[in-house]
Amino acid sequence: MANRTDPTARTIHGTNPQNLIEKIIRSKIYAAQYWKEHCFGLTAEKLVDKAMDLDHFGGSYGGIRKPCKFLCLILKMLQIQPDKEIIIEFIKNDEYKYVRVLGAVYLRLVGRPLDVFQYLEPLLNDYRKIRERKLDGKFVITHVDEIVWRLLTEETICDVALPRLPNRLHLEDQGLLPARVSVLAESSDEDED
């Protein structure tokens, strides 16, 4: 399969899915030792095992901008396009937090806006700690809900430009999404009763 997209893969946002990651970053991923040893020839079934082995979240780091394992797996997912059911299972996985975040980032890259809001908003209630590798190569502790909030509000994550996401209020006004109720609002309503 080399570094080509699966021939049966469909286009995402009108382009080859791998093009969602900029060419310079893709080139660095293809040259990375992790990509050559662990991602080359990876199938959707074996991808789950590699995702469970993740121990941090991040894009590229260091002076030469070496790609993290997380970013390599995102590119591999764009290359092989696992079924939507597999991605939903990644997101619903409570046991492995890095698998959940991997699925969330992939869905944000390729998913429709309604699916993004439907599947990612419940993750705002996941407060587990997660290690993030910053640009300087140092690790910081963040939380799953912070990463999901960045996916919903920011334009880039892991050195990858995210596709434009319409404002949630516009989707609510069109009747496509119900009004969002936070966990705090639900708990205060229960306290009043």
Side-chain angles (χ1 to χ4, degrees):
M1 175 183 257
N3 294 329
R4 293 186 302 261
T5 304
D6 184 358
T8 61
R10 65 192 199 313
T11 61
I12 303 293
H13 305 294
T15 185
N16 179 341
Q18 289 191 76
N19 291 344
L20 294 174
I21 296 180
E22 294 178 18
K23 182 170 177 37
I24 188 76
I25 296 173
R26 266 195 335 263
S27 299
K28 289 181 185 237
I29 292 172
Y30 295 150
Q33 187 171 353
Y34 181 80
W35 176 267
K36 292 175 182 176
E37 291 179 5
H38 299 281
C39 296
F40 192 82
L42 197 63
T43 62
E45 295 82 25
K46 293 180 183 176
L47 177 74
V48 176
D49 297 331
K50 294 297 179 190
M52 291 189 316
D53 291 340
L54 287 174
D55 62 353
H56 66 276
F57 158 82
S60 58
Y61 64 94
I64 59 170
R65 307 291 293 193
K66 183 178 177 185
C68 290
K69 296 175 183 178
F70 185 90
L71 190 58
C72 292
L73 291 180
I74 288 290
L75 181 60
K76 191 61 182 183
M77 290 173 76
L78 289 170
Q79 204 178 60
I80 63 176
Q81 286 189 342
D83 293 333
K84 184 178 177 181
E85 293 79 28
I86 294 174
I87 302 308
I88 302 308
E89 288 303 316
F90 273 30
I91 292 171
K92 291 181 177 179
N93 187 326
D94 286 331
E95 191 173 343
Y96 297 98
K97 54 192 170 188
Y98 296 102
V99 172
R100 175 175 269 188
V101 173
L102 185 72
V105 171
Y106 179 77
L107 182 67
R108 176 63 178 88
L109 280 170
V110 302
R112 297 177 344 176
L114 294 177
D115 290 337
V116 169
F117 283 112
Q118 176 186 355
Y119 292 111
L120 295 192
E121 280 186 344
L123 301 184
L124 291 171
N125 299 324
D126 188 348
Y127 305 115
R128 291 182 289 176
K129 292 180 181 178
I130 195 167
R131 288 177 14 158
E132 180 178 2
R133 188 166 225 166
K134 292 294 190 182
L135 293 175
D136 60 2
K138 295 180 181 173
F139 291 101
V140 296
I141 300 294
T142 187
H143 299 86
V144 174
D145 64 311
E146 293 176 40
I147 293 169
V148 172
W149 182 254
R150 286 168 36 196
L151 285 170
L152 294 174
T153 59
E154 294 183 7
E155 296 178 2
T156 61
I157 196 158
C158 298
D159 302 324
V160 178
L162 299 172
R164 186 184 170 285
L165 190 65
N167 192 328
R168 190 184 201 297
L169 293 175
H170 294 298
L171 296 174
E172 286 178 17
D173 291 342
Q174 294 174 0
L176 299 173
L177 283 175
R180 183 172 180 273
V181 179
S182 71
V183 175
L184 291 175
E186 289 175 359
S187 64
S188 66
D189 290 343
E190 291 172 2
D191 292 342
E192 290 175 3
D193 294 338

